Amino acid sequence: MSVLKADHISIQFGGLRAVNDFSLDLQEKELYSIIGPNGAGKTTVFNMLTGIYQPTEGSIYIDGKLMAGCKPYQFTAAGLARTFQNIRLFHGATVLDNVKMAHSFKTDYNFFNMLTRTGKYHSEERRITEKSMELLEMFDLQDKKDFFANNLPYGEQRKLEIVRALATEPKVILLDEPAAGMNPNEIDDVVNLILRVQKELGKAILVIEHHMKMVMKIAEYIKVLDFGETISEGTPEKVQNDPKVIEAYLGGHANASRS
């Protein structure tokens, strides 16, 4: 079943066509990757798929629901979660509170319950705390639950960001360069985490990543963008041997000016 579908989406900023005729059909439990040189349009695609930008043409569906005109929070409510290239945690809050705040997106109490501290409020808070601790334990962060997020090592901050995304109970997760700035050991950790999220939790995952060794290790299907156009797609083996991909990364385009 398709959990995220982009049907011939394009976007234009003034006279610049940043992404042209991009399509994607991500099924349950699949792990896809979008790659391409800097300025190829990868983040612009992610911004369309999460409601930050509205496509000029084409349509986006989450779990079969047309998302035309929807805001980012409505994309989240429909079952999509996203991490960003630049870590976006609540650095002055604890690790546990970071996860609880993400869980609270789907709380079952209202403002009155919270204000008057009703039994429903307390039971929901217990449930959120338990769910948050389950996720932290799954990814070996339970011993850091009382640490402030900004005191975690960089690799664990990346891991916490993925845990926060899971706390919204998504059908599909979009990861924007999850290995950015990591050392080899940290990259191995995040690879194992992503594969666990896919295989044990059954989530569909779409990854933007520059670290080609990582992409080839985890992706089942890859789409390659260059100057907003899809120039290749298929299995890792097919893509890495495609002359167009080799040219985009190593040939004339690699030295071209990009916006």
Side-chain angles (χ1 to χ4, degrees):
M1 178 180 178
S2 178
V3 290
L4 176 62
K5 183 176 182 180
D7 188 15
H8 300 285
I9 59 173
S10 302
I11 190 166
Q12 188 164 325
F13 300 105
L16 173 66
R17 200 169 184 83
V19 174
N20 183 51
D21 197 26
F22 178 88
S23 292
L24 174 82
D25 192 355
L26 183 63
Q27 302 290 309
E28 289 180 338
K29 302 182 182 180
E30 286 187 328
L31 205 166
Y32 276 26
S33 183
I34 301 173
I35 66 172
N38 288 333
K42 303 183 299 297
T43 297
T44 301
V45 167
F46 259 35
N47 285 340
M48 287 192 285
L49 294 176
T50 53
I52 295 174
Y53 296 157
Q54 293 292 323
T56 309
E57 301 169 11
S59 303
I60 296 169
Y61 302 83
I62 297 177
D63 211 21
K65 178 183 177 182
L66 179 63
M67 302 303 295
C70 291
K71 304 296 185 184
Y73 75 89
Q74 293 171 308
F75 278 71
T76 302
L80 186 146
R82 176 190 179 171
T83 67
F84 289 83
Q85 183 178 349
N86 299 315
I87 295 173
R88 299 191 182 185
L89 299 172
F90 295 102
H91 291 287
T94 66
V95 167
L96 177 58
D97 283 341
N98 264 273
V99 184
K100 287 177 67 176
M101 282 186 273
H103 263 302
S104 65
F105 184 83
K106 293 191 175 182
T107 53
D108 191 29
Y109 59 74
N110 56 33
F111 180 74
F112 175 79
N113 297 141
M114 181 176 66
L115 190 65
T116 58
R117 296 295 198 270
T118 62
K120 186 172 187 179
Y121 167 81
H122 286 295
S123 64
E124 271 293 281
E125 281 295 296
R126 282 193 297 272
R127 183 186 69 82
I128 290 170
T129 300
E130 290 170 2
K131 289 283 189 182
S132 299
M133 285 304 302
E134 286 175 9
L135 283 173
L136 291 176
E137 288 169 8
M138 183 175 294
F139 299 110
D140 299 321
L141 287 171
Q142 70 276 14
D143 294 338
K144 307 286 180 69
K145 67 181 179 67
D146 295 323
F147 284 41
F148 288 113
N150 62 343
N151 290 334
L152 291 179
Y154 182 81
E156 291 188 341
Q157 289 189 35
R158 282 281 179 192
K159 187 185 292 188
L160 178 58
E161 193 172 39
I162 296 174
V163 172
R164 276 174 45 84
L166 287 169
T168 65
E169 301 177 13
K171 297 180 178 71
V172 57
I173 300 177
L174 277 59
L175 304 177
D176 191 348
E177 296 196 29
M182 289 187 172
N183 63 45
N185 289 334
E186 290 170 334
I187 290 173
D188 287 342
D189 285 343
V190 81
V191 164
N192 291 332
L193 187 156
I194 291 170
L195 292 175
R196 288 190 67 190
V197 169
Q198 180 203 18
K199 298 181 187 303
E200 295 181 25
L201 300 182
K203 304 298 183 183
I205 302 172
L206 181 62
V207 181
I208 287 176
E209 186 51 67
H210 281 295
H211 195 282
M212 289 300 99
K213 185 177 178 180
M214 173 182 169
V215 169
M216 297 304 168
K217 184 181 293 187
I218 65 173
E220 298 166 334
Y221 194 91
I222 298 173
K223 293 181 74 75
V224 188
L225 293 181
D226 194 29
F227 290 109
E229 300 276 355
T230 300
I231 62 169
S232 182
E233 59 182 289
T235 64
E237 293 76 17
K238 175 182 181 294
V239 164
Q240 68 183 343
N241 293 307
D242 190 325
K244 292 181 182 178
V245 178
I246 296 170
E247 170 67 15
Y249 274 97
L250 302 176
H253 287 187
N255 297 316
S257 174
R258 294 175 182 276
S259 58

